[in-house]
Amino acid sequence: MGIHVLDSRTIDRIAAGEVVERPASVVKELVENAIDAGSTAITVEAKEGGIEFIRVTDNGCGIERDQLPTAFLRHATSKIEDADDLNHIASLGFRGEALSSIAAVSRVEIITKRKENLTGTRMVLEGAREQSIDEIGAPDGTTFLMRNLFFNTPVRRKFLKQPATEGSYITDLMEHLALSRPDISFKFVLGNQTRFHTSGNGDLREVIYRIYGREIAAELVPVQIEENGIKVEGYLGKPVLVRSNRNFEIYFINGRFIRSGVIAKAIEEGYKQYLMQHKFPLCVLHITMDTETVDVNVHPSKMDVRFSDGMAFARMLSEKITITLRNREMIPDASLEDEKAIQKKEQEER
Ligand code: ADP
Ligand code: MG
């Protein structure tokens, strides 16, 4: 075989391997798109662990009909113009790889409408091939339906885990997404069960309550730090909420859920005098910093980041956590009132 450049469908399918590893990666990309579209309410439904069916409905800006086919092309994005923009990314997406990758390995239907238009558009794709595109009546926003993940790449499909396990990955992801944006109402339905529904009223403690339940929501210490242009806001679980792994050390940088050895270590250092070895705290922290001091352009899954001055940040964070926890010991309990308020609200909504 002579040397030749692969055709775009083959390239897309190879690239899809990087972006779409499993159903949870599809959900992540679709929800991030919904968030970037300015949605205030997002519903995610998944069946068979998301392998057979994922539907994400948002009330965001929608996509213009003549742009819809373009959105499914590789490296097609509305979020950055050029390389300079990479230095100050404010959106969750920017690579323009998600829709093309998902469409390459599944059956996709998208219905989308912009507010200023009277009608919407419905487009159907199979293995990235456009099957149809029609005008259709639709609510404002976008509904994205994916079926039969990896139907055309059986080897990859074989490597998926049982639906229950894939479903649990989606659940973890959805929890993090809901915690990342208390100002957005998230509804998550797995199988036939609504797993949680957040109100979108901006109250992080309420989101924690809806996701982790009353016992945990009652044992939180608010934290608020502002130093050197870095802001940290959220809740520290009291040491009684001790966990046996790091999964509940949850932190977001500029709205993005990440995992970082530097931050994990700083948090654990901050809790050091309160926790035994090999025990881990629960916390939910929203960290805001200048987009120029943190690099999110590290990996397609975008879970890792690089800091320009990680050490100084880590030192500051662990000190403040220690101080917050220490002060906490001296103040009486205020959380009972908060909890009553949440319960009351929940009853009203029933
Ligand atoms: P990226 O998010 O990196 O830009 P995607 O492939 O995920 O790339 O999406 C391509 C483009 O399609 C986006 O830049 C955006 O303009 C549009 N888009 C995707 N999903 C939505 C949505 N839910 N609402 C509005 N526009 C969307
Ligand atoms: Mg995207």
Side-chain angles (χ1 to χ4, degrees):
M1 206 184 300
I3 299 172
H4 59 283
V5 176
L6 296 169
D7 68 76
S8 66
R9 269 167 51 83
T10 311
I11 292 172
D12 280 351
R13 212 188 273 187
I14 293 169
E18 284 240 315
V19 181
V20 183
E21 201 188 336
R22 52 180 7 109
S25 7
V26 174
V27 174
K28 174 173 189 282
E29 295 295 337
L30 295 179
V31 173
E32 289 190 349
N33 281 346
I35 295 173
D36 284 344
S39 308
T40 57
I42 299 171
T43 298
V44 175
E45 298 154 273
K47 291 182 181 148
E48 295 297 312
I51 301 165
E52 296 307 328
F53 179 103
I54 292 169
R55 180 161 55 201
V56 177
T57 307
D58 71 48
N59 63 352
C61 65
I63 305 172
E64 204 61 71
R65 175 158 330 142
D66 61 359
Q67 303 232 295
L68 191 52
T70 311
F72 284 90
L73 297 180
R74 194 153 142 72
H75 306 308
T77 181
S78 58
K79 297 168 194 175
I80 59 172
E81 287 285 337
D82 52 34
D84 288 344
D85 290 342
L86 288 173
N87 296 327
H88 39 80
I89 291 165
S91 59
L92 293 168
F94 57 86
R95 293 167 182 268
E97 292 182 314
L99 294 193
S100 62
S101 300
I102 295 166
V105 292
S106 70
R107 298 189 167 94
V108 162
E109 177 184 340
I110 186 169
I111 296 172
T112 183
K113 178 183 167 297
R114 288 178 66 85
K115 258 186 211 73
E116 61 267 31
N117 297 339
L118 286 173
T119 58
T121 314
R122 174 174 178 268
M123 184 173 172
V124 178
L125 300 99
E126 215 177 284
R129 253 199 206 117
E130 182 178 322
Q131 306 290 304
S132 65
I133 180 164
D134 305 291
E135 189 175 348
I136 190 175
D140 294 345
T142 302
T143 296
F144 194 108
L145 176 60
M146 182 228 77
R147 284 181 202 275
N148 308 124
L149 184 59
F150 299 141
F151 80 99
N152 54 357
T153 47
V155 180
R156 308 217 43 213
R157 199 175 159 105
K158 264 216 303 268
F159 277 98
L160 292 177
K161 304 205 171 125
Q162 291 301 311
T165 309
E166 294 295 343
S168 75
Y169 294 146
I170 298 178
T171 304
D172 287 349
L173 169 79
M174 284 306 300
E175 290 176 357
H176 297 154
L177 287 164
L179 290 164
S180 80
R181 293 297 298 265
D183 57 330
I184 297 176
S185 166
F186 284 93
K187 185 177 179 187
F188 173 48
V189 183
L190 185 61
N192 294 320
Q193 200 193 359
T194 298
R195 304 298 294 260
F196 61 79
H197 191 172
T198 64
S199 71
N201 72 354
D203 182 352
L204 176 61
R205 188 196 279 263
E206 189 184 315
V207 181
I208 296 174
Y209 174 83
R210 304 248 171 190
I211 289 175
Y212 296 130
R214 172 184 317 166
E215 261 120 70
I216 283 179
E219 304 285 358
L220 301 173
V221 185
V223 60
Q224 188 144 24
I225 305 165
E226 206 164 346
E227 204 166 287
N228 299 331
I230 300 176
K231 224 162 90 181
V232 182
E233 273 177 305
Y235 291 94
L236 301 172
K238 290 189 200 159
V240 293
L241 298 180
V242 51
R243 309 278 114 176
S244 54
N245 61 52
R246 289 202 168 87
N247 293 350
F248 295 86
E249 292 174 9
I250 296 169
Y251 35 88
F252 307 93
I253 295 199
N254 298 339
R256 200 186 288 276
F257 176 75
I258 59 146
R259 297 271 92 182
S260 152
V262 173
I263 297 182
K265 204 152 169 275
I267 292 172
E268 288 155 28
E269 189 66 31
Y271 270 91
K272 198 168 173 187
Q273 60 195 98
Y274 297 98
L275 292 180
M276 287 200 285
Q277 261 201 325
H278 311 299
K279 294 293 176 193
F280 301 93
L282 176 148
C283 64
V284 181
L285 300 176
H286 284 261
I287 302 163
T288 319
M289 54 174 76
D290 196 326
T291 48
E292 313 221 336
T293 62
V294 51
D295 182 9
V296 297
N297 191 14
V298 180
H299 186 267
S301 84
K302 293 166 277 183
M303 280 262 265
D304 196 8
V305 293
R306 283 197 206 108
F307 299 101
S308 59
D309 192 357
M311 289 324 287
F313 172 60
R315 204 174 318 115
M316 187 275 277
L317 184 60
S318 58
E319 273 173 27
K320 297 286 183 185
I321 288 177
T322 304
I323 292 169
T324 306
L325 291 171
R326 191 185 304 140
N327 290 347
R328 173 67 204 181
E329 287 179 292
M330 293 178 255
I331 339 171
D333 229 307
S335 60
L336 202 61
E337 284 307 307
D338 297 350
E339 200 200 327
K340 275 188 197 146
I342 290 174
Q343 272 176 347
K344 185 156 166 264
K345 207 175 315 155
E346 212 180 37
Q347 264 156 17
E348 280 163 9
E349 278 172 23
R350 285 221 180 98

